[in-house]
Each structure stands twice: as C-alpha cells, then as structure tokens.
C-alpha cells in the first residue's frame, strides 16, 4: 500500500490541516502517483532542491511540531480544569454532610455532574490517543518523504541527514504522555467509584497483580560501548554473573563464556504482527523460536508466543521442540505427538502438564496457520546475566553484539532463506558468529549499543533496589522504554514493506553519551518537574502515595528550583523513578523480554469507600495556593530542623578522610624540610645562593605544615556543624606550587649568571697573560707565538665580548 493512502486514512478530521502535506512534497519533488521512480526526464535544479528542503524541514516540520506542542498544552489545561471541577464536587459534598455549612448539592446533581466529568475525561483521553497517532504518522511521513527524495534525487543531494538533525531539535515524536495519563487515571478511579453507589464490587487498585505468577517491573536502557565495562563492573559489585546451561537451563558450573542467543521472529508478507506491535493494538501477539549457542550443537529450541493483554499485562505460551520437528510443525504436518506421549508416560494421561502442553501446541500451530506466518528476522546477541542464584528479586541482563539479519523468502529470485527450510542454512551450517562478515549488505543490521534490562520483582524493599535507581539515573545509560529487537529489525531491514516506524530510530543518529555533571543536573530537574506534574495525583490519592521530592546532597540544581519545591508544593507526593514496562514473566530461566510494555509503572492507589476518604487532601490542595496552613491548637513551631537536634552522628569514613588529607600535608612538609636541610649542609660557606634557597624551601615546608593543620581543624568544625559550605580550598596548594616554581626558577637564573661571570673572568686573565708575554720576549718569538695565541684568543673572546656588551 502506498503511504499516501495510509496517511489519508489516518487523518483525524478536526486536525486535518495540521498534518504533513505529503502531496505537496511529492509535487515539489516532481513526482506523481502515476510516475515511476526511474523517471529522470525532469530536470532537478538547485532552486528545486532549495524549495523542497525549505518545505520539508522548515515549513512542514514547524507546522507539525507547533501543533503537537500547543495541543499537548491544551490537554494539560483541560485536565487541570477537570481536577478543579472534582474539587468543587468534593467541597459541595462536604457542605451537604455538614448542616451548619449551608445547603450542598443533592445526590442526583452530584451524579449528573460526575457523568459530565466522565464524558469530559473520555474526550481528553480520546484526543491523547489521536495526538499520539498524529505524532507517529507524521514522523513516518517525514522519513518517507526524505527517503523518496534521496532515492529519486539523491545522486547529488541527500536530505535525510539534515532531517535527522531537525527532528532532534524539534522532537514532536518523543513526548512523554505518562504524567498526564496518571492524572487521568486517578480521576477515572474517583468518578467510577462514586457514580454507582449501589454496586457492591470493590474498586480495583492500580497495583492489583494479575494471576499467573510473580509480577516483575522492567527497565530497558541503551549502553554506549565506552560505558559498557563500567556498567558491568558496577553491577558485578552487587550481583554475580549467572550463566545458564542451554541444555538444562540450570546454573552452569565453572567458568564459561557468555552464551549466544538466537531468536527467530515470525511474520507474514504484510507484516501484520509488526504493525499491531508498533500501533500497540490490544491482543497484539508475537511468535519466535529461541535457542542458545550454535544450532549445529543441537540445543533445545523453544516456541514462544506472547500476547499483550489489557493493562500491559502479557500472556505467554511456550514449549520445547527438536530441530528435526520444527519444519513439519510449521507446515502443520506434526503436532508433537511423541513429546506428548513421553509426558503422558511419565506423569499420566490426565496430568495438567500434558494438557497444558497440548493446548500450547494447538494454539501456536493454529496461530501460524491463520496468519500465514513464516520466519522473517533473526536476532543474534551475546547475553550476560546477573542474578543471585535462588534469589529472583532483581534480575539483570546485558545484551551485546546484537545483529539483526533478514530470514525471509519474499523475493522468489533471490530469497534470503530457502523456502523449504525454516532457517538460513548458510549461517547455521557454517556456524557463523558475530559480526557475520559473509552476510550480504542490506541483509544485516548491527545495533550500535548494548541493551540493558533490569527486572525488579514487585514487593522488593527500597533498600535492596537503591543501587538500581542510582544506575538508571546515572550518565552511563540511556532510557529506551519501548525498545523491541523485533520491531527495530523489521523497521531497519524491511523499510520498504512497512508504513509505521518506531520513534527511537531518529535517536540512533545521536551520541547517547552524557557528561556526568550535566546528566545529574538534568535528572534533578526531571524529578522536580515530575513532582509538579504529579501534584494533582498526590491530592487525589493522598499524600502517602509517594514521597516529596528532595534534591540530592551537592546537587547542582538551581536555587530557584529548590525554593520552588520548598514553597506551597513542598508536600506534593512524587513517585520514584517508574519503570518502562511491566511483564508477568516468572523467574524461571533467563527469557528474553522483547515486548514494548508501558512507559512507566503506575502509582498504587488506596481504595477506601466514600468521597471524603478518597480525597483526604483536597482542602489542603486548595489552601496550598492561598498561604501557610495555620497550626492547630497545642502545636507549636519546632524552631529548628531535626538534623540540628540531638547528638551529631558522623560516619567514621568522613573523619578518616579528613585525617588522611592532614597526613598528606605533613608528608609534603617533611619532604621539603629534608630537602632544604640537605641543601644547606651540602653548600659551602661561600655558596650564599644555595643557602638562601635552602631557607626558602624551609619556609615553604613550614607553610605546608601549618596549612595542613589549619585545614584539618577547619574541616573538623564544618563536619561537626553539618555545614553546607564547600570543603575545597585551593589557596594552600596554589601557594606551595607557586613557591616551588619561583624557587626553582631563581636557582636556575642564579646558576646561569654565576657561570657567565666566571667565563668573563677567565677571558680577562688570558688577555693579561698575552700582553705580559709580548713585553718579555723578543719580537721573533712573539711573532711565532702570535699566530697561534691570537687565533685561540680571538675565538674565545668573541662570545665573551658579546657578553661584555650585553652586561653581566
């Protein structure tokens, strides 16, 4: 299908004029739907190129970006208005309960207003979905237009690199809608709880775990190759490396290399599974084969089918198979009867394991038949797993050397895979390994970064996962919440077959490395902004839903942001860094989680009955913008912070660090004093220069010792007082360094001057001897010696005369 038709069918009518004008871009490109891509009869000039680039990267991109930003701002304002309406309803309900406060709204009026708010929320939610589709289809349109230009007019001009830069400057396709969705979720929970009082069903919490095993929260990140070793060592300090035996799925004994994993993904020529996954449609499914190591070593092969259910929960089916049965199973000629008989023989005919195995086999085989699936993509990567054996609270996997290879047979003339085989025999028979140099260009894509995935089991204590938060907030990783190997491989290798692309493609052109200082400051700013966005959620669900934001010690965050957070909104709850995906995969094995998942986790919501109990802080939310809340009777202001009350407790390492610094200064002082004493004793009584320099070195040594003692006392006082002042002081080191440099320069200068004076003295003595010899001897002897002496004296006198002219 042509993209123009896809775009026309995806337009949301009220926003029609804000979409990318794809027909106009084709017109500027001098291409119509009836023209072929090989038609080069039209002349392409510099003026044509300038007009196309101006329209694409400036006019159209600015139009789409401006509308997306304005629309998102309007949605935020509408959400705030809806919160104000609910606040008014709560106030009216409180008046109705309190007879002395005056008449309130009747129950029927409250129900009518709640229905109106629900319709209002439905409208906001619908437009958020449309805005996300708007961003995705326009992002695809820009990439399609750039690709069409580079293919038709790319012999001299290429516009895609410029477009990537502009998309990075105007990132309309990477907006995070999760804060807005959290606020809407809280309001939905309140409205639905109070609309039908007659229902006896208790309202569900956001954190209700679905049946079917333990629930894990997943974080996905990209790791640059420069930071790979540092990330590995950081994790190794907390978790050991876990290596699984591919044959038994148990922890391997001894030292083994990190296992190589191969995943074979299925789809059809229309890429239906890919489209459902990118569009995040309900019940989107994916199917793959997965094995460890080389296929020639006959590893266990797993069929795995994953289906995304409502609420970002997933349902997974899997069963093992041997290589010789895979092709016949895909064709529907074999239903794993032998394996079923073995299971029934071991556990009995009516065992639940056997029944579940048969159900999985039938469901997967029917899924392949209905969707006409075939292997289309191979993902090969090396996995390093970190986990404490027997403890599945925190599981970490680091995938490196990711290679995505075409496995399809769509082209009947040059198929990548033999249509009669389920895998590429040229790769597996030759036991090719990364980087697969013998694969033809265009059939392979090597992912430039490592993929880090951290799974934390729900219920894990905050102290146990504190190091995980430190790693995810650091400059070493870049968050990639919806990354999928299958989606990325199809988008890169089958670009001409699909009309939707993932948003992270444009980010691959950028350098994901970050400066540590800048990354820390950006993280603090992000947390502060998130506290503001979730202020209303904290008011809706209670302040105990999440702790208040507090900048880290030594944070470079600006004072304005700190004061803002200490102001009226200081009591606002903010959740900790939320995960990008939630899955129900158990702790068994080290399965590869390759689903999109949610952008972040959801804050838990208490579910007490009644209007007042769900909104315990609405009145505080209203008064927070009017001034300080007056203290109740019997409560007085403490007068000082908790940190200033009680005995001072300082960790031993802080004192020891101060003492180590003092000892270093004394070491420098003793070293300089020893140097000066040796220099003074070695110099004679006539060598005043050496003695003078020895005195200078002694003074510097005394200063170093005194400075070290003074800084030790000063820093001890600051530690005891818990002062926020900076402990650094560059004055002492600067004085010692400058003093030593000056002393060395003076020593060198005096030595050069002394040698010059000695040379001039020798020259004068030779001249006087020469004149005395001429006066004593006769003219013949003098004339014989004159030639030799004059030559020598003339050569010696030349540099000396120059020195005499210049002065001592």
């Amino acid at each position: 299908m042509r993209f123009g038709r896809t775009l026309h069918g995806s337009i949301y009518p009220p926003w029609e004029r804000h979409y990318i004008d794809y027909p106009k871009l084709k017109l500027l490109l001098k291409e119509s739907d009836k023209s072929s891509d090989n038609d080069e009869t039209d002349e392409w000039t510099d003026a044509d190129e300038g007009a196309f680039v101006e329209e694409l990267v400036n006019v159209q991109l600015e139009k789409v970006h401006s509308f997306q930003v304005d629309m998102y701002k309007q949605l935020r304002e509408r959400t705030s208005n809806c919160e104000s309406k609910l606040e008014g309803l709560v106030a009216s309900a409180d008046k109705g309960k309190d007879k002395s406060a005056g008449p309130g709204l009747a129950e029927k009026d409250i129900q009518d207003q709640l229905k109106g708010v629900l319709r209002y929320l439905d409208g906001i939610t619908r437009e958020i979905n449309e805005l996300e589709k708007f961003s995705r289809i326009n992002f695809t349109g820009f990439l399609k237009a750039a690709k069409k230009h580079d293919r038709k007019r790319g012999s001299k001009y290429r516009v895609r690199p410029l477009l990537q830069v502009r998309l990075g400057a105007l990132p309309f396709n990477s907006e995070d809608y999760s804060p807005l969705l959290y606020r809407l979720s809280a309001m939905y929970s309140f409205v639905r709880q109070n609309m039908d009082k007659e229902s006896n069903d208790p309202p569900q919490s956001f954190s209700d775990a679905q049946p079917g095993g333990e629930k894990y929260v997943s974080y996905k990140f990209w790791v640059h190759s420069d930071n790979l070793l540092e990330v590995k060592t950081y994790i190794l300090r907390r978790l050991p490396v876990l290596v699984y035996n591919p044959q038994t799925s148990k922890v391997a004994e001894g030292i083994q290399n990190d296992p190589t994993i191969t995943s074979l993904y299925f789809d059809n020529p229309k890429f239906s599974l890919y489209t459902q996954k990118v569009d995040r449609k309900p019940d989107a499914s994916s199917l793959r084969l997965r094995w460890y190591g080389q296929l020639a070593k006959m590893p266990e092969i797993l069929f795995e089918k994953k289906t995304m259910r409502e609420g970002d929960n997933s349902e997974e089916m899997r069963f093992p198979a041997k290589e010789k049965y895979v092709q016949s199973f895909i064709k529907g000629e074999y239903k794993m009867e032998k394996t079923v008989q073995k299971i029934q023989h071991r556990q009995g005919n009516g065992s639940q394991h056997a029944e579940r195995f048969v159900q999985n086999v039938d469901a997967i085989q029917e899924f392949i038949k209905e969707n006409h699936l075939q292997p289309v993509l191979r993902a090969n990567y090396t996995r390093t797993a970190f986990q404490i054996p027997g403890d599945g609270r925190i599981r970490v996997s680091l995938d490196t050397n990711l290679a995505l290879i075409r496995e399809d047979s769509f082209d009947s003339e040059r198929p990548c895979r033999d249509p009669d085989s389920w895998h590429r025999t040229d790769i597996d028979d030759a036991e090719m390994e990364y980087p697969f140099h013998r694969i033809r260009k265009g059939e392979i894509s090597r992912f430039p970064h490592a993929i880090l995935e951290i799974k934390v089991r729900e219920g894990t204590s905050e102290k146990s996962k504190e190091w995980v938060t430190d790693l995810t907030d650091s400059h070493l990783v870049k968050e990639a919440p919806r990354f999928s190997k299958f989606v990325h491989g199809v988008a890169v290798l089958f670009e001409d077959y699909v009309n939707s692309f993932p948003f992270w493609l444009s980010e691959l052109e950028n350098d994901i490395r970050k400066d540590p200082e800048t990354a820390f400051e950006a993280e603090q700013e992000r947390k502060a902004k998130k506290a503001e966005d979730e202020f209303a959620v904290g008011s809706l669900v209670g302040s105990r839903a999440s702790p208040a934001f507090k900048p880290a010690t030594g944070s470079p965050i600006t004072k304005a942001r700190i004061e803002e957070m200490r102001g009226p909104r200081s009591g606002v709850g903010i959740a900790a860094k939320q995960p990008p995906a939630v899955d129900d995969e158990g702790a068994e094995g080290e399965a590869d989680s390759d689903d999109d998942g949610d952008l972040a986790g959801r804050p838990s919501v208490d579910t007490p009955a009644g209007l007042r109990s769900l909104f315990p802080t609405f009145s505080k939310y209203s008064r927070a913008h009017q001034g300080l809340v007056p203290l109740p009777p019997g409560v007085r202001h403490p007068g000082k912070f908790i940190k200033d009350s009680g005995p001072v407790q300082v960790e031993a390492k802080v004192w020891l660090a101060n003492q180590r610094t003092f000892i270093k200064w004394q070491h420098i002082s003793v070293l300089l004093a020893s140097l000066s004493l040796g220099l003074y004793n070695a110099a004679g009584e006539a060598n005043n220069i050496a003695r003078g320099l020895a005195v200078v070195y002694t003074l510097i040594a005394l200063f170093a010792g005194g400075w070290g003692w003074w800084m030790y006392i000063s820093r001890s006082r600051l530690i005891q007082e818990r002062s926020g002042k900076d402990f650094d002081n560059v004055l002492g080191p600067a004085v010692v360094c400058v003093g030593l440099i000056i002393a060395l320069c003076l020593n060198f200068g005096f030595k050069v001057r002394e040698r010059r004076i000695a040379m001039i003295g020798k020259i004068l003595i030779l001249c006087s001897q020469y004149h005395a010899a001429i006066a004593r001897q006769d003219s013949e002897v003098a004339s014989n010696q004159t030639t030799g002496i004059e030559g020598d004296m003339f050569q010696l006198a030349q540099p000396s005369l120059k020195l005499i002219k210049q002065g001592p």
Side-chain angles (χ1 to χ4, degrees):
M1 180 184 294
R2 290 182 175 269
F3 176 75
R5 298 178 185 175
T6 303
L7 175 63
H8 185 268
S10 304
I11 290 179
Y12 184 54
W15 302 346
E16 183 175 4
R17 63 187 183 90
H18 300 288
Y19 282 78
I20 181 176
D21 195 347
Y22 196 74
K24 183 177 181 180
L25 292 174
K26 291 179 64 177
L27 184 63
L28 291 174
L29 199 57
K30 297 184 178 180
E31 180 188 75
S32 64
D33 291 339
K34 297 181 180 180
S35 63
S36 63
D37 293 337
N38 297 325
D39 185 11
E40 298 293 339
T41 57
D42 296 336
E43 183 181 2
W44 187 254
T45 64
D46 291 342
D48 296 332
E49 177 68 17
F52 179 83
V53 173
E54 175 68 18
E55 184 68 25
L56 177 68
V57 302
N58 289 333
V59 178
Q60 296 296 328
L61 187 57
E62 285 283 353
K63 177 183 69 174
V64 173
H65 175 263
S66 299
F67 177 77
Q68 196 275 340
V69 171
D70 294 340
M71 196 63 200
Y72 184 74
K73 183 178 179 181
Q74 292 178 19
L75 291 173
R76 287 172 58 93
E77 293 175 354
R78 291 170 61 184
T79 304
S80 300
N81 294 336
C82 193
E83 290 165 354
S84 301
K85 291 181 179 180
L86 290 180
E87 182 181 352
L89 288 177
V90 173
S92 299
D94 291 342
K95 286 183 179 181
K97 294 178 180 180
D98 189 1
K99 303 297 183 181
S100 61
L105 289 176
E107 184 66 23
K108 183 180 179 181
D109 296 334
I110 293 179
Q111 292 295 322
D112 293 338
Q113 292 194 20
L114 286 175
K115 292 179 181 178
V117 170
L118 184 59
R119 290 192 295 269
Y120 195 75
L121 289 174
D122 292 338
I124 296 175
T125 305
R126 182 174 59 255
E127 291 198 355
I128 290 177
N129 294 330
E130 293 296 338
L131 187 60
E132 194 272 339
K133 296 177 183 178
F134 171 89
S135 301
R136 183 171 64 247
I137 194 66
N138 281 282
F139 175 77
T140 304
F142 283 110
L143 294 183
K144 286 286 186 180
K147 178 191 172 184
K148 190 177 292 291
H149 168 276
D150 293 346
R151 183 174 56 195
K152 186 176 179 65
R153 310 296 184 182
S155 58
K156 188 176 180 181
Y157 307 96
R158 297 189 66 84
V159 76
R160 183 156 184 170
L162 176 61
L163 179 63
Q164 296 286 2
V165 174
R166 291 289 292 161
L167 285 174
L170 302 175
F172 72 92
N173 60 319
S174 59
E175 186 66 59
D176 184 9
Y177 300 97
S178 56
L180 198 58
L181 294 177
Y182 297 158
R183 298 167 67 181
L184 294 173
S185 298
M187 288 186 286
Y188 266 121
S189 177
F190 165 69
V191 171
R192 288 172 176 169
Q193 180 184 357
N194 292 274
M195 276 186 61
D196 192 359
K197 299 281 186 168
E198 299 176 358
S199 176
N200 296 325
D201 297 334
Q204 293 184 352
S205 170
F206 287 131
S207 59
D208 290 342
Q210 300 296 328
E214 297 173 331
K215 195 172 184 180
Y216 281 81
V217 177
S218 177
Y219 304 78
K220 282 187 179 181
F221 302 91
W222 292 345
V223 182
H224 195 274
S225 57
D226 293 350
N227 300 328
L228 188 59
L229 181 60
E230 187 172 356
V231 171
K232 284 186 176 181
T233 54
Y234 181 87
I235 300 174
L236 277 173
R237 296 190 188 103
R238 282 86 181 174
L239 296 177
V241 176
L242 186 65
V243 181
Y244 282 90
N245 189 327
Q247 301 295 336
T248 63
S249 296
K250 295 181 180 179
V251 181
E253 297 180 358
I255 299 177
Q256 294 189 7
N257 295 328
D258 293 334
T260 300
I261 302 177
T262 302
S263 295
L264 217 60
Y265 294 95
F266 287 69
D267 213 330
N268 50 43
K270 295 182 179 180
F271 287 95
S272 303
L273 303 187
Y274 166 86
T275 304
Q276 293 175 6
K277 200 171 183 66
V278 172
D279 296 340
R280 298 179 59 80
K281 293 183 178 180
D283 297 335
S285 301
S286 61
L287 179 65
R288 67 181 174 185
L289 293 174
R290 182 168 60 91
W291 67 87
Y292 288 80
Q294 294 291 344
L295 193 61
K297 298 180 180 179
M298 295 183 294
E300 184 180 66
I301 302 175
L302 288 176
F303 275 88
E304 295 180 342
K305 176 178 178 287
K306 180 173 288 187
T307 303
M308 299 302 299
R309 299 300 184 187
E310 186 178 359
D312 290 306
N313 295 312
S314 62
E315 181 182 282
E316 194 167 271
M317 297 181 181
R318 65 173 64 179
F319 66 88
K322 293 183 179 180
E323 178 187 355
K324 58 183 179 180
Y325 298 137
V326 173
Q327 182 67 16
S328 58
F329 176 82
I330 294 175
K331 291 183 177 180
E333 301 171 356
Y334 180 66
K335 292 183 175 294
M336 310 298 295
E337 289 88 354
K338 293 184 179 180
T339 307
V340 174
Q341 291 176 2
K342 292 181 180 179
I343 296 176
Q344 292 176 348
H345 178 72
R346 291 195 304 262
Q347 301 182 6
N349 294 332
S351 64
Q352 294 182 355
H353 186 201
E355 293 179 358
R356 186 167 58 252
F357 185 90
V358 173
Q359 291 175 0
N360 292 345
V361 169
D362 292 340
I364 292 178
Q365 197 168 55
E366 185 65 19
F367 181 72
I368 295 174
K369 182 179 179 181
E370 289 180 356
N371 295 277
H372 307 286
L373 301 180
Q374 59 175 295
V376 296
L377 179 70
R378 175 188 296 245
N380 183 275
Y381 50 93
T382 302
R383 165 159 293 184
T384 306
F386 305 87
Q387 182 183 340
I388 299 176
D391 185 0
R393 289 178 299 174
I394 299 178
R395 300 156 53 197
V396 180
S397 63
L398 186 62
D399 297 338
T400 55
N401 299 336
L402 173 59
L404 302 166
I405 306 172
R406 290 186 59 167
E407 198 87 8
D408 64 286
S409 58
F410 298 155
D411 190 351
S412 58
E413 297 180 357
R414 293 185 59 187
C416 300
R417 169 181 54 83
D418 184 0
D420 296 328
S421 177
W422 63 273
H423 66 101
R424 289 187 61 163
T425 55
D426 59 330
I427 297 177
D428 295 322
D429 293 349
E431 297 187 8
M432 291 188 190
E433 295 181 349
Y434 188 88
F436 301 95
H437 288 303
R438 284 182 281 177
I439 301 297
R440 293 191 296 264
K441 185 178 180 181
E443 295 181 2
I444 184 171
S445 173
R446 300 173 183 88
F447 194 73
H449 310 303
I451 303 170
L452 175 68
E453 184 173 9
I454 303 175
K455 294 183 179 180
V456 181
R457 188 168 61 195
E458 287 191 351
T460 304
S461 63
E462 292 294 330
K463 186 176 181 180
S464 301
K465 60 182 181 181
E466 182 179 359
W467 67 270
V468 176
T469 304
D470 295 337
L471 176 62
T472 56
D473 291 345
S474 70
H475 67 284
L476 300 175
V477 297
K478 174 179 174 53
E479 191 173 8
R482 294 183 179 178
F483 181 78
S484 168
K485 300 182 184 72
F486 169 58
V487 172
H488 181 77
V490 173
V492 174
L493 298 175
F494 298 91
E495 187 177 6
D496 296 334
Y497 291 81
V498 295
N499 287 323
S500 298
F501 295 96
F503 287 158
W504 62 75
L505 285 182
S506 60
E507 297 180 1
L508 289 177
E509 305 293 334
N510 304 327
D511 189 356
I512 65 172
R513 292 171 293 183
K514 296 177 287 187
D515 179 71
E517 184 81 5
T518 305
F520 179 81
E521 183 175 359
E523 181 64 23
Q524 293 298 311
E525 292 285 349
R526 187 194 66 80
K527 289 183 178 180
K529 184 177 182 299
K530 188 175 180 180
E532 295 177 354
D533 291 336
E534 296 189 352
F535 183 78
V537 176
S539 299
L540 289 170
V541 302
S543 58
R544 61 195 181 105
S546 53
F549 169 74
K550 180 180 179 182
T553 304
S555 169
I557 192 171
T558 59
K559 292 183 178 180
R561 174 66 66 183
I562 296 176
E563 293 299 327
E564 180 180 353
M565 296 307 301
R566 288 179 178 175
R569 300 189 176 191
S570 60
V572 179
I574 171 175
K577 184 178 182 70
Q578 299 294 339
V582 178
D583 66 307
D584 293 325
E585 182 183 281
E588 181 183 357
E590 192 64 23
D592 177 24
S593 175
D594 194 27
D595 52 67
D596 292 339
D598 194 5
L599 276 175
R602 292 168 175 166
S604 60
V605 181
D606 297 329
T607 58
L611 194 63
R612 186 66 176 178
S613 60
L614 184 64
F615 288 82
T617 55
F618 249 134
S619 57
K620 295 180 182 179
Y621 174 84
S622 177
R623 290 195 296 268
H625 298 275
Q626 301 175 5
L628 296 175
V629 179
L631 296 176
V635 179
R636 60 181 179 85
H637 194 276
K640 59 181 178 181
F641 294 105
I642 297 178
K643 71 180 185 66
D644 297 330
S645 59
V648 179
Q649 296 181 359
V650 182
E651 294 185 8
K653 63 181 181 181
V654 179
W655 292 107
L656 295 177
N658 191 24
Q659 292 177 2
R660 284 197 300 269
T661 306
F662 170 68
I663 293 173
K664 287 292 184 181
W665 276 107
Q666 301 311 307
H667 177 73
I668 295 174
S669 177
V670 172
L671 184 64
L672 291 176
S674 302
L675 174 64
S676 61
L677 182 61
L679 184 61
Y680 189 86
N681 293 333
E685 295 182 358
N687 195 348
N688 295 328
I689 296 177
R691 289 194 168 191
L693 291 175
V695 173
V696 173
Y697 289 138
T698 303
L699 294 177
I700 296 176
L702 293 175
F703 173 80
W707 177 267
W709 172 255
W710 181 76
M711 289 303 300
Y712 173 72
I713 298 300
S714 301
R715 287 170 178 165
S716 298
R717 185 175 63 256
L718 293 176
I719 292 173
Q720 293 177 356
E721 295 175 354
R722 292 183 177 178
S723 175
K725 296 181 180 179
D726 196 351
F727 281 24
D728 292 342
N729 196 329
V730 298
L731 178 61
V735 170
V736 173
C737 293
V738 172
L740 289 176
I741 292 174
I742 293 175
L744 291 175
C745 292
L746 290 176
N747 189 6
F748 179 78
F750 288 150
K751 200 66 179 178
V752 172
R753 183 174 180 274
E754 184 180 355
R755 288 189 176 183
R756 286 183 178 180
I757 294 175
M759 184 179 294
I760 293 173
K762 289 181 180 179
I763 293 174
L764 294 177
I765 292 173
L766 290 175
C767 289
S768 61
Q769 291 177 356
Y770 169 71
H771 290 296
I774 291 179
R776 289 196 304 267
Q777 297 179 2
D778 54 21
S779 59
E780 182 178 359
V781 175
S783 62
N784 291 336
Q785 294 180 351
T786 298
T787 304
I789 297 175
E790 284 181 351
D792 295 339
M793 294 302 298
F794 181 77
Q795 293 179 0
L796 293 172
Q798 287 300 322
S800 302
L801 292 175
K802 292 182 180 179
L803 294 174
I804 294 173
K805 292 180 181 180
Q806 295 176 358

